[in-house]
């Protein structure tokens, strides 16, 4: 998964639309949190399990996304090298660095704590609150989702507001951590589902202006998706 904020936000909702049995229409783009669904009375924040250094990469992508290769600063090639990814001649993504920061549990806990803090300070409160977190483990079959579930539950007890659902996206599996009934449910993506969701999200990413108040369903319907 590429580190591009808006694309990841759209991918998150699209994946829930097709895979989560609790999904209801009417997700609208917002900020703090990233999506509001009045039908479900739900706020959804989307994030990557990244460390602060990774955040610098995220900012770089958001600044130069779509630029031609010759428009990128030379420092980018010195820092990222072959990790720079181009699509149709334009900068598209920075591929993950397999050599750095591979402790996905540490990353996940760090990012969860930051989002929980913001939920309790400056997020728009809804009756239900959810976090969609992209993880980047080396081995998807070795995910310790129970450890993360227990960790998040303990952190919730220290705060006034908590997330009712946390979605842990591991590419081929999405773990639904339901803190309303204290359960974990794995959603195993069917064959070719990841490719389909990525294509759908990429298409929608460039179909709308995605200002605050933009409806995912209206954009998808207008463009026949």
């Amino acid at each position: 998964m590429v580190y591009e904020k808006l694309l990841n936000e759209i991918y998150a909702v699209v994946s829930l639309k097709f895979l989560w049995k609790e999904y209801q229409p009417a997700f609208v783009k917002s900020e703090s949190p990233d999506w509001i669904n009045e039908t479900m009375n739900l706020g959804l924040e989307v994030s990557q399990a990244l460390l602060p250094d990774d955040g610098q990469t995220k900012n770089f992508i958001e600044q130069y996304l779509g630029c031609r290769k010759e428009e990128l600063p030379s420092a980018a090639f010195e820092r990222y090298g072959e990790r720079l990814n181009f699509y149709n001649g334009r900068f598209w993504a920075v591929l993950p660095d397999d050599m750095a920061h591979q402790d996905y549990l540490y990353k996940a806990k760090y990012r969860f704590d930051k989002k929980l803090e913001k939920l309790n300070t400056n997020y728009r409160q809804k009756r239900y609150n959810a976090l969609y977190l992209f993880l980047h483990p080396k081995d998807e079959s070795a995910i310790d989702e129970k450890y993360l579930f227990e960790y998040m539950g303990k952190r919730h007890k220290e705060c006034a507001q908590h997330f009712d659902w946390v979605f842990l996206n591991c590419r081929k599996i999405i773990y639904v951590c339901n803190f309303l009934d204290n359960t974990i449910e794995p959603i195993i993506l069917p064959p070719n589902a990841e490719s389909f969701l990525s294509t759908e999200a990429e298409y929608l990413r460039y179909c709308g202006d995605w200002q605050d108040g933009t409806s995912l369903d209206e954009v998808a319907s207008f463009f026949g998706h």
Side-chain angles (χ1 to χ4, degrees), residues 6 26 32 42 53 61 64 72 91 108-109 112 122-123 134 147 160-161 163 166 168-169 193 211 220:
L6 180 56
S32 298
L42 171 73
D53 288 344
I61 291 173
Y64 291 101
L72 269 62
F91 173 57
K109 292 190 294 182
F112 174 81
N122 67 349
Y123 278 4
F134 290 92
Y147 172 83
Q161 301 292 331
F163 292 109
V166 176
L168 303 176
N169 183 301
Q211 300 297 316

Side-chain angles (χ1 to χ4, degrees), residues 81-97:
E82 294 183 356
R83 293 174 60 199
L84 294 173
N85 184 262
F86 296 87
Y87 180 75
N88 286 342
R90 294 184 179 273
F91 173 57
W92 179 247
V94 176
L95 302 178
D97 184 358

Side-chain angles (χ1 to χ4, degrees), residues 16 20 22-24 26-27 30 32-46 116 119-120 123-132 156 160-167 177-182:
L16 296 181
W20 187 38
E22 302 290 337
Y23 177 91
Q24 295 182 42
F27 274 91
S30 180
S32 298
D34 296 310
W35 296 95
I36 294 292
N37 186 320
E38 296 293 354
T39 303
M40 301 180 70
N41 202 356
L42 171 73
L44 175 67
E45 178 71 3
V46 181
L116 183 61
L119 177 66
N120 281 269
Y123 278 4
R124 178 181 172 186
Q125 294 294 324
K126 303 301 292 182
R127 180 178 180 182
Y128 301 107
N129 303 289
L131 173 65
Y132 192 110
H156 278 156
Q161 301 292 331
H162 65 272
F163 292 109
D164 300 286
W165 290 283
V166 176
F167 304 93
C177 299
N178 186 335
F179 292 99
L180 293 171
D181 58 14
N182 202 39

Side-chain angles (χ1 to χ4, degrees), residues 44-64:
L44 175 67
E45 178 71 3
V46 181
S47 185
Q48 298 270 351
L50 302 176
L51 299 176
D53 288 344
D54 296 322
Q56 295 177 10
T57 299
K58 180 176 71 70
N59 293 336
F60 167 77
I61 291 173
E62 292 174 2
Q63 180 177 356
Y64 291 101

Side-chain angles (χ1 to χ4, degrees), residues 7 31 48 50 218:
L7 178 60
E31 287 296 335
Q48 298 270 351
L50 302 176
E218 289 181 3

Side-chain angles (χ1 to χ4, degrees), residues 58-145:
K58 180 176 71 70
N59 293 336
F60 167 77
I61 291 173
E62 292 174 2
Q63 180 177 356
Y64 291 101
L65 184 73
C67 292
R68 295 190 179 279
K69 190 173 184 178
E70 56 270 20
E71 296 174 329
L72 269 62
S74 59
F77 294 92
E78 295 174 3
R79 178 173 181 178
Y80 299 114
E82 294 183 356
R83 293 174 60 199
L84 294 173
N85 184 262
F86 296 87
Y87 180 75
N88 286 342
R90 294 184 179 273
F91 173 57
W92 179 247
V94 176
L95 302 178
D97 184 358
D98 291 335
M99 300 303 295
H101 303 305
Q102 285 301 328
D103 187 351
Y104 78 93
L105 284 173
Y106 181 85
K107 286 183 176 182
K109 292 190 294 182
Y110 174 88
R111 188 53 55 190
F112 174 81
D113 287 345
K114 291 296 183 181
K115 293 302 180 181
L116 183 61
E117 178 183 355
K118 289 187 176 181
L119 177 66
N120 281 269
T121 54
N122 67 349
Y123 278 4
R124 178 181 172 186
Q125 294 294 324
K126 303 301 292 182
R127 180 178 180 182
Y128 301 107
N129 303 289
L131 173 65
Y132 192 110
L133 194 60
F134 290 92
L135 304 188
H136 303 281
K138 276 186 176 181
D139 183 359
E140 295 178 30
S141 65
I143 292 291
D144 195 346
E145 72 280 3

